[in-house]
Amino acid sequence: MTIVHTIQPTRIVVAVNGDLDLKTADPLREALDALIDRYRDKDLIIDLADVDFIDSSGLGVILGRYRRLAQRNRTVSLAGIRPSVRTVLDLAGILTIITVIDSPIRKEAR
Amino acid sequence: MTIVHTIQPTRIVVAVNGDLDLKTADPLREALDALIDRYRDKDLIIDLADVDFIDSSGLGVILGRYRRLAQRNRTVSLAGIRPSVRTVLDLAGILTIITVIDSPIRKEAR
Amino acid sequence: MNRMSLRFISVSDNVGLARVAVAALASQADFSLQDIDEIKVAVSEAVSNAIVHGYPGRSDGEIQVTGMLDAGGLTVTVEDWGVGIEDITQARQPAYSQDPERMGLGFVFMESFMHGLQVESTPGQGTRVEMHRLVTISGELSRDAQ
Amino acid sequence: MNRMSLRFISVSDNVGLARVAVAALASQADFSLQDIDEIKVAVSEAVSNAIVHGYPGRSDGEIQVTGMLDAGGLTVTVEDWGVGIEDITQARQPAYSQDPERMGLGFVFMESFMHGLQVESTPGQGTRVEMHRLVTISGELSRDAQ
Ligand SMILES: Nc1ncnc2c1ncn2[C@@H]1O[C@H](COP(=O)(O)OP(=O)(O)O)[C@@H](O)[C@H]1O
Ligand SMILES: Nc1ncnc2c1ncn2[C@@H]1O[C@H](COP(=O)(O)OP(=O)(O)O)[C@@H](O)[C@H]1O
C-alpha cells in the first residue's frame, strides 16, 4: 500500500494504492489520523481509484475516520470506487452514510 | 491462454495471451501445428505482447515449431517480447537462432 | 477436480497470500471475475479472524487453508488451533465483535459472499470455518481457448 | 520471518498456483519485480518436474511447496513422493532430459535464477529440491509506504 496526500483549501485528498485489509489497516489508520489531526479544519477525501480489494478490516478504518470527523462536523467522502470495492461497501451499507464522488478526483482537485 | 491468428500473404501471425507453461504447452503446440500444416507455404510469427510468463515448457513449444519449420525452409519469428519473457529466452539462447521483430506486429501487419 | 492446502503462520502479511492462492485455484473453474472478487473477501475475513481472534498477540500460530474444486463448485476451509469461540451463535450476529476496533462484519461477509458457511469451534482448541461457493454458469460454457 | 507450505495434486493447473503463492510470499521481502519474475520461473520448473517426471501419467500425486523468508532471503522447497531420480548428476546436466519433448533446461533455469540449488532424491521414494534466493537491496531500503 502507498498513500499520497494533497492539501487543498478545504480538504485533504488521500490517494491510496493497494489492498485494504488486515495488513494495511494499521498503517492506513495512522496515516489518516495524522493528517486529520494536523489539518484541523479540513474535510477528508479518500481516493480509492487504485484500490482493488477491501474487506471488513479496511472498511473499519474508513468508518472509524468517518465517526471521528463527524464528531467535529467534518466529512469523509470516497472517490474512484471500483466495482470490486463497491460490492463490499454496498453490502456494509457504507454508501448510505458516506458521500461518494463519482467524477475523477484528480481533475476535480484543480 | 487464448490464441488469435491472422493469415497474411506470406505468414501466419499468432497472438498469444496468457502464461506459457506446462498447462498451456499442449494446447499451444496443437494450435500452432494445425496452422503450420494447414498453410503449408507460410512462415510463422508468434506475438508474445500479451505473454507475461514463460518457462522451459513454453520454450520447448517454440523451439519445437522452429525445428519443424526449419526442416521445410520456413521460419519462426517472435514479436512483442516483454522484459520478463526476454530474460528467459536470453538464458536459453533462443534469441540467437530465432528472429525477433521489435516493431509492434499489429501495425506492421497492415 | 483439484485441491490444495496452504499452511502459514498468524501474521497479517499472509491474508493476501491466502487470498491469492484461493483465487488462483478458483480461476481454474468457471467463476466470473466478480465471483472471484467475492470469494477473496470471504477468505480474507476468515483468515483475518484466525489471526486476530484465534491467536491474539501471537505471530507463530498455525493456520491452514484448503480449497477443493469439484463439479459442485469451490469449498474453502480455514482452520486455526487458537483460542476458539465460546458462543458461535452470538459471534455470528451482524455487528457483534469482541474487539471495539472491528466492525463485526466478518461472518456477515462470509455468509453473503458464499453459498453456505459452517463454523465449528472448541474453546481452547481452535476454530474451523467451511464455506462453499457454487459455480453458476452464465452464457458461454468456456471462457477461453485453452 | 514468514513461512508457508502449500500442498496440491499433480495436475498442470497447479503450476500457476504454486508460482502465484511463492510470488505473494516473495513480495513481502525486498525483491524487485524482476527478482520475483525469476523466482517464479524457478518454482515453475521444479513443480513442473514433480508433475511430469515425479508422477508420470498420474494426477493424484502429492506435491508440497514451502517458502521461508528470513533476513537471508527466500528459501523454496519443492517435494514429491514420486519415482525419484536414478542419477542426479546426469539429470542436472544442461540439455539432459528423459523426455524427447522437453528441453532439459529445468535444472539450468533453477540454478541460473536462484542462488543455490540442492537436489535430493531416492528412486522409488521421491525428490526434494531446495532453492535459495538472496535479497540484494539496491537503492532505497523500502519500496513503499507500508
Ligand atoms: N478464528 C476465530 N477464533 C476465535 N474467535 C473468533 C474467530 N473468528 C471469529 N471469532 C469471534 O467472532 C467474533 C465475530 O467475528 P466477525 O463477524 O468476523 O467480526 P470481527 O472480526 O469484526 O470481530 C469476533 O469478534 C471473535 O470474538
Ligand atoms: N521431480 C522429479 N522426479 C523424477 N525425475 C526428475 C524430477 N525432476 C527432474 N527429473 C529428471 O531430471 C531430468 C532433467 O530435468 P530438467 O533439467 O528439469 O529437464 P526436463 O524437465 O526438460 O526434462 C528429467 O528429464 C528427469 O529425468
Side-chain angles (χ1 to χ4, degrees):
Chain A
M1 183 189 59
T2 52
I3 298 167
V4 177
H5 72 265
T6 324
I7 304 302
Q8 298 179 357
T10 64
R11 57 198 202 176
I12 313 159
V13 178
V14 180
V16 184
N17 183 309
D19 292 350
L20 296 193
D21 63 2
L22 184 65
K23 184 187 176 180
T24 51
D26 283 348
L28 179 62
R29 180 184 305 108
E30 283 158 26
L32 293 179
D33 279 348
L35 289 167
I36 288 170
D37 291 341
R38 182 152 170 210
Y39 303 98
R40 299 193 154 270
D41 55 349
K42 296 191 200 291
D43 293 329
L44 177 65
I45 298 187
I46 307 176
D47 183 351
L48 300 174
D50 291 322
V51 172
D52 239 348
F53 180 85
I54 190 167
D55 63 13
S56 75
S57 302
L59 276 186
V61 175
I62 294 177
L63 209 64
R65 289 339 93 203
Y66 167 80
R67 293 204 184 109
R68 274 198 72 193
L69 288 179
Q71 290 168 352
R72 302 163 205 182
N73 288 315
R74 295 160 65 189
T75 66
V76 174
S77 320
L78 301 179
I81 300 175
R82 295 195 190 181
S84 57
V85 169
R86 181 172 293 270
T87 312
V88 175
L89 298 180
D90 258 339
L91 190 62
I94 268 198
L95 300 180
T96 61
I97 56 171
I98 295 187
T99 310
V100 170
I101 300 175
D102 279 324
S103 50
I105 186 66
R106 284 178 187 109
K107 276 198 190 137
E108 203 197 63
R110 300 289 148 82
Chain B
M1 181 189 61
T2 51
I3 299 167
V4 177
H5 72 264
T6 323
I7 303 303
Q8 298 178 357
T10 64
R11 60 199 200 172
I12 313 160
V13 178
V14 179
V16 183
N17 183 309
D19 291 350
L20 296 193
D21 64 1
L22 185 64
K23 185 187 177 182
T24 50
D26 284 347
L28 179 63
R29 181 185 304 108
E30 282 158 26
L32 294 178
D33 279 348
L35 289 168
I36 289 171
D37 291 341
R38 179 150 170 211
Y39 303 98
R40 300 193 153 270
D41 55 350
K42 296 192 199 292
D43 293 330
L44 177 66
I45 298 187
I46 307 176
D47 182 351
L48 299 174
D50 292 322
V51 172
D52 240 348
F53 181 86
I54 189 165
D55 64 13
S56 76
S57 301
L59 276 184
V61 175
I62 295 177
L63 210 63
R65 291 336 95 202
Y66 167 80
R67 291 205 186 109
R68 274 200 71 194
L69 288 178
Q71 288 169 353
R72 302 165 204 181
N73 289 315
R74 294 158 66 185
T75 65
V76 175
S77 319
L78 300 179
I81 301 174
R82 296 195 189 179
S84 57
V85 169
R86 182 173 294 269
T87 312
V88 175
L89 298 179
D90 258 340
L91 190 61
I94 267 197
L95 300 180
T96 61
I97 56 171
I98 293 186
T99 310
V100 170
I101 300 175
D102 280 324
S103 49
I105 186 67
R106 284 178 188 109
K107 277 197 190 139
E108 203 198 62
R110 300 289 146 82
Chain C
M1 271 71 72
N2 195 6
R3 61 185 160 81
M4 66 117 193
S5 154
L6 176 67
R7 263 183 108 103
F8 49 81
I9 51 174
S10 52
V11 298
S12 63
D13 283 315
N14 292 332
V15 181
L17 177 71
R19 274 201 303 270
V20 154
V22 174
L25 183 71
S27 71
Q28 299 171 10
D30 269 318
F31 288 113
S32 67
L33 288 181
Q34 190 185 337
D35 291 345
I36 292 177
D37 281 339
E38 297 183 1
I39 292 166
K40 282 164 77 174
V41 175
V43 169
S44 202
E45 299 297 342
V47 173
S48 298
N49 278 352
I51 295 172
V52 173
H53 304 301
Y55 299 110
R58 280 180 57 189
S59 60
D60 62 346
E62 291 281 327
I63 296 168
Q64 173 158 306
V65 175
T66 72
M68 213 185 60
L69 275 182
D70 59 25
L74 173 72
T75 306
V76 176
T77 68
V78 176
E79 193 163 0
D80 67 64
W81 293 268
V83 301
I85 304 176
E86 291 284 346
D87 184 339
I88 296 178
T89 311
Q90 184 187 49
R92 290 179 66 161
Q93 297 298 314
Y96 174 83
S97 177
Q98 274 193 328
D99 182 340
E101 286 284 294
R102 296 180 62 80
M103 315 233 308
L105 285 180
F107 280 128
V108 176
F109 281 7
M110 290 181 241
E111 271 186 276
S112 306
F113 288 138
M114 302 296 273
H115 306 124
L117 169 73
Q118 281 152 263
V119 184
E120 290 163 32
S121 188
T122 311
Q125 291 194 24
T127 303
R128 181 177 185 278
V129 170
E130 179 170 326
M131 309 181 271
H132 190 74
R133 173 94 192 193
L134 301 167
V135 192
T136 46
I137 296 173
S138 60
E140 45 187 8
L141 276 168
S142 162
R143 280 167 309 167
D144 66 26
Q146 233 169 66
Chain D
M1 272 71 72
N2 194 6
R3 61 185 160 81
M4 67 117 194
S5 153
L6 176 68
R7 263 185 108 103
F8 49 81
I9 50 174
S10 53
V11 297
S12 63
D13 283 313
N14 292 332
V15 181
L17 177 71
R19 274 202 303 271
V20 155
V22 175
L25 183 72
S27 69
Q28 300 170 10
D30 269 318
F31 288 115
S32 68
L33 287 183
Q34 191 185 338
D35 291 344
I36 291 178
D37 280 338
E38 297 182 1
I39 291 166
K40 281 164 78 174
V41 175
V43 170
S44 202
E45 298 298 342
V47 173
S48 299
N49 279 352
I51 295 172
V52 172
H53 304 301
Y55 298 110
R58 279 179 57 188
S59 61
D60 63 347
E62 292 279 328
I63 296 168
Q64 174 157 307
V65 175
T66 72
M68 214 184 61
L69 276 182
D70 60 25
L74 173 73
T75 307
V76 176
T77 69
V78 176
E79 192 164 0
D80 68 65
W81 294 267
V83 301
I85 304 177
E86 291 285 346
D87 184 339
I88 296 178
T89 312
Q90 184 187 47
R92 290 179 66 160
Q93 298 298 314
Y96 174 84
S97 176
Q98 273 190 330
D99 182 339
E101 286 284 293
R102 296 181 61 81
M103 315 232 310
L105 285 180
F107 280 127
V108 177
F109 281 6
M110 290 180 240
E111 272 186 276
S112 306
F113 288 137
M114 301 296 272
H115 306 124
L117 169 73
Q118 281 153 264
V119 184
E120 291 163 32
S121 188
T122 312
Q125 291 193 24
T127 302
R128 182 178 185 279
V129 170
E130 179 169 328
M131 309 181 272
H132 190 75
R133 174 94 192 193
L134 301 168
V135 192
T136 45
I137 296 172
S138 58
E140 47 187 7
L141 276 169
S142 163
R143 280 167 307 164
D144 67 27
Q146 233 169 68

